Amino acid sequence: MTKLTLISSALLSVLCSHSALAATVNGKVIDDKNQPIKNATIHIHGKTQSVKSNELGEFTIEVDTASQLHISKNNYIDSRIAITDSSNNLSVSLKPTSVETVVVYASALHKNSLEMISPVSVLSGDELRNKSKPTLGETLKGLPGVNASYFGPVSSSPIIRGLDGPRVKITQNGLDSSDASRIGPDHATSSDSLAAEQIEVLRGPSTLLYGSGAIGGVVNVVDNRIPTSSMDTLTGAAEYSHDTVSNSNTVAAKLETGTEGFNFHFDGTKRSGDDYQTPTFTIADDDDVEIENSVENTFIDSETLNFGSSYVGEHLTVGFSYGSINTDYGIPGHEHHHEHDHEGETEEEHAEHDDEAAEAPVYAHLEQDRWQGLVSYALHNNWIETIKLRVGYTDYFHQEIEDGAVGTTFTNQTTEARLNVEHKFADWHGMIGYHYSDSDYNAIGEEAFTPASVTTTNALYLLEEREFGDVTVELGARVEDYKIESQISEAEHGHDHDEIEEDHDDEETIGYNKSFTNLSVSAGAIWQYKPGHSIATSISHSERAPLSAELLSNGLHIATGTYELGLGYNIEGNEAHFEPENIKQETSTNLDLSLRRFSGDFGYTVNFFYNDIKNFYFQENTGLVFDEEDGLESAIGAHHDAVAVYQFNSKDAELYGIEFDAHYQVTSNAMVKVFGDSTRVKLKDNAGNLPRIPANKLGSELQYDLGDLQLTLTGTHYFDQNDVAAFETQTDGYTLFDAQANYQLGLGAVDAQLYINVDNITDELGFVHSSFIKDKAPLPGRNFRFGIRGYF
């Protein structure tokens, strides 16, 4: 009902409002030395229409009265100019900047990376393509404040400021990726960095727009599958690369064209690779020690295809897209639990059975079909600027296969809709929105440690900003109704409670329904105290309800070699009983302070952050083990096949740290960068450390430009991680050196580039502390990546 009311109100406002008269605006874009700037983009705020300045910096554009022009150009600070029907012969001066400025689509209010109050990093263009890896975690882990969970190179999710899993929202064009990567670290993300136009990382709470699952941050993958600008020529790109460390080959292609406002898009990737090689390391298994030079079962065979089309008019944009993913990938470190009756066997037969079990390949087969639609209408009337509706449906299918047989099947069907109404009211510019999400998750088989569940979210949010001279203030709020429905096996748990209603038609299961109301509010400001210098600060309060995996898990998670229990269980003796009483929301209060300089030859961004989290959900080693015959028992004297029992717990925690990125243009051809981060995450009241918190890192990068040849050398040191939780081991530090060389080829109408990347030049052995299988899966060894890419 809330959704219908909001939509009706928006449509009524459109019908009742009067359109403004059109006008033609002429202008010129110049730099700080009064020289013309060619190919600057002049964009009408709230609309998709844009033009480019010519060689003399001149432009002509048709606008509505009371509009705003957004003028941008790489290596210059953006300018925004309010115009009326009398505006003409504009002169727009852009000041140079030491960093590239790009529009952050996840910001919702068309802000670029230098105008954001919240800390943000954006990978785009050749930088993204050079750093692109098969997973988001490996692609982004070099950014300050970002690390990777690393369950092998084909399943690695981003960790932001020590937070991962359900606290980091992964989206595609603002809609949830809707895979199963939040359920377990062995589940790969379905977002493909190879086909992305840019990847945006918002650090700190971003719950206002993206919901309670974004307490840690947001990773938004932006593509052009639904074109939002008119195209009138055929353009495309193609790329081939080869990696020696895993003998992998990658092919990617993109085509775009359009005519008279109708646009079409296609992109696709194909990647295949073998197990990856490592420096020599040892694995201790009981009394045996094995020497390895590779990580078994880390192959990948993946295909993606995406199609999209749109119509872009003066006010109206309508489009849709379809994408498919089909991937097989190995799951390293997988624990096998084959049962054999060894009674009466000879030692040779016993060993033969053990060898068969140990050699059984375990891999995942992933399929995803994703549909998205977009309707946007720009009004530019008295107060409504744009109404935008984005919808998506995702059908996700994931099987884990062992000995050629399907062990577990995971499915997730997600329907999502986001309606935004951008507006102006007096001196305030903002957005009011409605967000709906319905996720139908199911798991069947040996590893179905989380029961089937349906999670439904309905939310209203408001985001407003206002300029006070050099200071921009931003206020926001979101109220979210969050509901979980599931069926719990009564045979295993056998308890009735107030929140549980018995299903009388099936005595073996009981129905569980729980609703939460999550409230998020924020306030922030950015002060541009002089050109190219700013200070930004924000404070936010966010609430998060537990995911079904955190609340309802009860079973063996084979990939991590653990037995998992959710918040809703109480251990009594050697049994776990479902008693979901007094489940409280996770509440986060976050403070951010950012210092930025982006003018001249020297620039930097320094972020300080502090996060006080009440009822922090985390997996804690209980000191118990699970045995199929005896159930839960003490780890002391337990059978060697028993696995550790981890239960989700809820305690108060605090998180604080610093992240920075500085650069200096030594000469017109050489730039030096220094970056790093330090994050401390611990339980309050001296209750100990939290597990798998990433180590601090410090790095430096040298970029050198020799005309058509660009060279880059990067060194990153990961420090020892000694702040460990109970039953967790320390991790030694390591240093990685990487190099890149790109050569521009002149092939007429084709802009081609040859490149070679050398990763881990010194063949350093490194173990990732945040990985569940860190001792079994070190980082890859020395890798040469050869490639060629071309654009036309």
Side-chain angles (χ1 to χ4, degrees), residues 92-351:
V92 182
S93 179
L94 299 183
K95 296 183 180 298
T97 176
S98 56
V99 295
E100 183 179 1
T101 61
V102 292
V103 174
V104 181
Y105 292 91
S107 69
L109 295 179
H110 319 288
K111 293 189 175 183
N112 65 48
S113 51
L114 303 181
E115 299 170 327
M116 293 284 292
I117 293 176
S118 300
V120 63
S121 294
V122 180
L123 284 181
S124 61
D126 286 339
E127 182 183 15
L128 171 58
R129 291 171 180 84
N130 290 334
K131 295 182 178 180
S132 180
K133 298 292 193 298
T135 64
L136 283 180
E138 295 306 291
T139 299
L140 302 173
K141 69 178 184 180
L143 296 176
V146 183
N147 289 276
S149 60
Y150 199 73
F151 207 91
V154 295
S155 180
S156 183
S157 296
I159 299 175
I160 300 179
R161 294 178 172 177
L163 302 177
D164 65 346
R167 297 180 184 88
V168 174
K169 193 81 165 181
I170 298 177
T171 63
Q172 180 188 0
N173 300 320
L175 296 181
D176 198 290
S177 61
S178 303
D179 51 36
S181 61
R182 309 297 87 187
I183 301 298
D186 57 312
H187 294 190
T189 60
S190 60
S191 298
D192 182 13
S193 61
L194 292 173
E197 298 287 329
Q198 67 185 46
I199 301 178
E200 305 163 348
V201 180
L202 277 66
R203 304 181 189 88
S206 303
T207 57
L208 292 179
L209 294 177
Y210 297 98
S212 58
I215 280 182
V218 169
V219 176
N220 185 41
V221 180
V222 180
D223 55 52
N224 198 39
R225 292 170 189 173
I226 300 180
T228 55
S229 297
S230 293
M231 306 174 186
D232 54 13
T233 59
L234 175 65
T235 61
E239 180 176 0
Y240 167 78
S241 66
H242 175 79
D243 288 80
T244 61
V245 77
S246 59
N247 192 33
S248 65
N249 296 285
T250 302
V251 178
K254 180 178 73 172
L255 289 173
E256 293 180 335
T257 189
T259 178
E260 297 182 352
F262 291 93
N263 311 286
F264 305 93
H265 170 97
F266 161 80
D267 72 73
T269 60
K270 167 69 176 175
R271 184 175 189 272
S272 61
D274 302 328
D275 296 346
Y276 74 91
Q277 306 299 307
T278 69
T280 301
F281 70 103
T282 59
I283 297 179
D285 185 9
D286 295 331
D287 296 328
D288 298 329
V289 177
E290 299 179 5
I291 299 177
E292 301 287 350
N293 292 100
S294 66
V295 177
E296 296 182 359
N297 212 26
T298 53
F299 71 90
I300 186 172
D301 188 358
S302 176
E303 294 180 358
T304 67
L305 286 174
N306 300 283
F307 302 89
S309 181
S310 68
Y311 170 76
V312 178
E314 183 179 358
H315 292 271
L316 177 67
T317 298
V318 180
F320 72 92
S321 68
Y322 166 75
S324 70
I325 300 173
N326 194 313
T327 301
D328 291 335
Y329 66 91
I331 303 177
H334 205 289
E335 300 294 337
H336 303 277
H337 294 273
H338 296 279
E339 294 298 324
H340 291 290
D341 183 4
H342 297 296
E343 185 175 354
E345 289 184 348
T346 65
E347 291 185 4
E348 290 78 6
E349 291 173 331
H350 188 120

Side-chain angles (χ1 to χ4, degrees), residues 21-25 63-67 83-88:
L21 298 176
T24 300
V25 173
V63 300
D64 296 327
T65 58
S67 299
I83 56 175
T84 65
D85 55 357
S86 61
S87 298
N88 211 337

Side-chain angles (χ1 to χ4, degrees), residues 673-745:
K673 293 184 177 181
V674 179
F675 58 90
D677 57 54
S678 175
T679 302
R680 186 76 170 94
V681 186
K682 62 181 181 179
L683 296 172
K684 300 182 75 172
D685 300 324
N686 297 317
N689 298 305
L690 287 163
R692 294 179 303 282
I693 299 303
N696 300 331
K697 67 174 180 279
L698 177 64
S700 181
E701 181 174 291
L702 172 63
Q703 298 178 357
Y704 199 81
D705 191 343
L706 292 172
D708 291 332
L709 178 64
Q710 294 85 43
L711 303 173
T712 303
L713 176 65
T714 306
T716 308
H717 178 70
Y718 293 83
F719 292 86
D720 297 345
Q721 180 53 286
N722 301 319
D723 298 324
V724 297
F727 307 101
E728 187 181 31
T729 59
Q730 298 179 1
T731 303
D732 293 335
Y734 53 93
T735 303
L736 300 179
F737 291 97
D738 306 320
Q740 299 174 357
N742 297 353
Y743 184 75
Q744 306 291 332
L745 297 174

